[in-house]
């Protein structure tokens, strides 16, 4: 499968677009949390591909006209020097410097995320680099406290062996659990209220007892978090706001 990354400007918003060329018969359009997606057959004549792209753009405009909030979700955040980012109870100040170095780098110093950007590359590349570096730095800083909470909830309700706790950027889910006891949590979860964070942690820990989503699994979750449906609902409604 070949993937093309591009953008389409709609209502002054540069909408991220992924075009997948794959083995398929027809075209399919969809909206993901992070991008609009067009799937088309491989090896199309140029005129046919251009026709499908125009169809896709018209389809997108119809979606955003009927549901304006979808366009807001896809608008990328732009971070600048001296911005203050609040993650939970912690505030991070951004200090962004451009230089002639080849790569981008960042470090945390006394509550200040110092980012050094290369002048090489496009503006969109630098914008994505800032977000990526922030996710990495904040994850390193917040992991010890979140890992302690994982172990506290495990000791309270599950008493299972935990091999590791990791924070990583993930848009496809809020967390995961392996059979060997690895708990992975998305850095996006750091923007959720503490009780919602606890729900996701409890959800993943429950998989150490029941590695599925059966009725027994949800009974285990409910025993530790009786309001789990409310907390899961919060993620469905507000989850799109939890991001860098």
């Amino acid at each position: 499968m070949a993937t093309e990354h591009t953008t389409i400007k709609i209502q002054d918003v540069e909408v991220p677009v992924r075009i997948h060329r794959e083995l398929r018969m027809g075209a399919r359009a969809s909206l993901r949390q992070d991008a609009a997606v067009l799937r088309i057959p491989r090896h199309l004549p140029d005129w046919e591909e251009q026709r499908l792209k125009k169809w896709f753009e018209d389809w997108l405009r119809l979606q955003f006209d009927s549901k304006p909030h979808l366009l807001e979700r896809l608008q990328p955040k732009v971070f600048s020097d001296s911005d203050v980012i609040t993650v939970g109870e912690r505030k991070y100040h951004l200090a962004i410097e451009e230089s002639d170095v080849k790569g981008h780098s960042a470090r945390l110093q006394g509550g200040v995320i110092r980012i050094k950007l290369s002048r090489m590359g496009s503006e969109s590349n630098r914008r994505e680099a800032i977000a990526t570096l922030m996710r990495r730095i904040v994850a390193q800083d917040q992991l010890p406290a979140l890992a302690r909470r994982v172990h506290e909830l495990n000791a309270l309700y599950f008493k299972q062996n935990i091999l590791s706790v990791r924070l990583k950027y993930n848009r496809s889910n809020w967390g995961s659990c392996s059979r060997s006891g690895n708990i992975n949590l998305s850095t996006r979860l750091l923007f959720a209220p503490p009780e919602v964070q606890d729900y996701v942690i409890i959800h993943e820990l429950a998989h150490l007892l029941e590695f599925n989503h059966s009725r027994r699994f949800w009974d285990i979750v409910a025993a530790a978090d009786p309001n789990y449906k409310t907390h899961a609902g919060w993620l469905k409604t507000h989850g799109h706001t939890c991001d860098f």
Side-chain angles (χ1 to χ4, degrees), residues 38 70 93 100 130-131 155 160 223 226:
L38 173 63
L70 294 177
H93 297 259
D100 294 324
I130 292 172
Q160 299 298 302

Side-chain angles (χ1 to χ4, degrees), residues 12 14 59-60 66 75 83 95 99-100 112 114 132 139 150 158-159 162 182 193 207 212 220 225:
D12 294 324
E14 294 287 345
W59 178 84
L60 278 179
S66 62
Q75 188 166 6
D83 279 354
S99 69
D100 294 324
V112 179
R114 300 192 177 279
T132 299
V150 171
F158 303 99
K159 297 178 174 56
I162 296 176
N182 294 304
H207 281 307
N212 53 49
I220 292 169
D225 181 7

Side-chain angles (χ1 to χ4, degrees), residues 5-45:
H5 294 265
T6 184
T7 60
I8 294 177
K9 192 169 186 177
I10 298 178
Q11 299 177 24
D12 294 324
V13 175
E14 294 287 345
V15 177
V17 170
R18 292 196 299 269
I19 300 175
H20 299 299
R21 296 174 177 86
E22 52 195 19
L23 293 174
R24 60 184 301 119
M25 295 297 291
R28 180 174 180 268
S30 62
L31 277 172
R32 303 290 299 274
Q33 287 189 338
D34 59 338
V37 178
L38 173 63
R39 299 181 180 276
I40 58 177
R42 288 182 180 177
H43 311 306
L44 286 176

Side-chain angles (χ1 to χ4, degrees), residues 73-227:
R73 291 187 185 188
L74 288 172
Q75 188 166 6
K77 294 182 180 179
V78 178
F79 299 101
S80 305
D81 184 53
S82 301
D83 279 354
V84 179
I85 311 301
T86 301
V87 183
E89 297 180 352
R90 187 81 188 270
K91 292 185 182 297
Y92 298 91
H93 297 259
L94 291 186
I96 301 173
E97 171 191 352
E98 290 193 2
S99 69
D100 294 324
V101 296
K102 290 184 177 180
H104 311 297
S105 62
R107 60 191 173 92
L108 181 62
Q109 184 179 43
V112 179
I113 301 177
R114 300 192 177 279
I115 297 177
K116 184 173 287 188
L117 291 178
S118 170
R119 291 192 180 94
M120 305 175 188
S122 65
E123 178 64 30
S124 61
N125 174 267
R126 287 193 293 274
R127 184 170 61 240
E128 181 57 32
I130 292 172
T132 299
L133 291 167
M134 284 173 52
R135 293 165 190 151
R136 189 179 305 157
I137 293 294
V138 171
Q140 291 172 355
D141 187 49
Q142 299 261 347
L143 177 59
L146 200 63
R148 282 196 298 272
R149 187 57 178 158
V150 171
H151 287 286
E152 287 171 0
L153 291 170
N154 182 51
L156 276 172
Y157 301 110
F158 303 99
K159 297 178 174 56
Q160 299 298 302
N161 292 324
I162 296 176
L163 190 62
S164 68
V165 180
R166 297 188 181 94
L167 260 177
K168 62 181 183 179
Y169 187 67
N170 190 345
R171 292 194 66 95
S172 61
N173 58 45
W174 295 100
S176 63
C177 172
S178 72
R179 291 183 181 275
S180 56
N182 294 304
I183 305 294
N184 296 308
L185 300 169
S186 172
T187 53
R188 296 188 301 124
L189 190 62
L190 297 171
F191 292 93
E195 62 273 17
V196 175
Q197 294 182 16
D198 280 358
Y199 156 67
V200 174
I201 293 170
I202 286 168
H203 182 117
E204 301 312 329
L205 288 172
H207 281 307
L208 296 175
L209 295 173
E210 194 75 12
F211 208 73
N212 53 49
H213 288 103
S214 64
R215 182 66 261 170
R216 180 172 182 270
F217 167 83
W218 289 112
D219 287 344
I220 292 169
V221 171
D225 181 7
N227 296 316

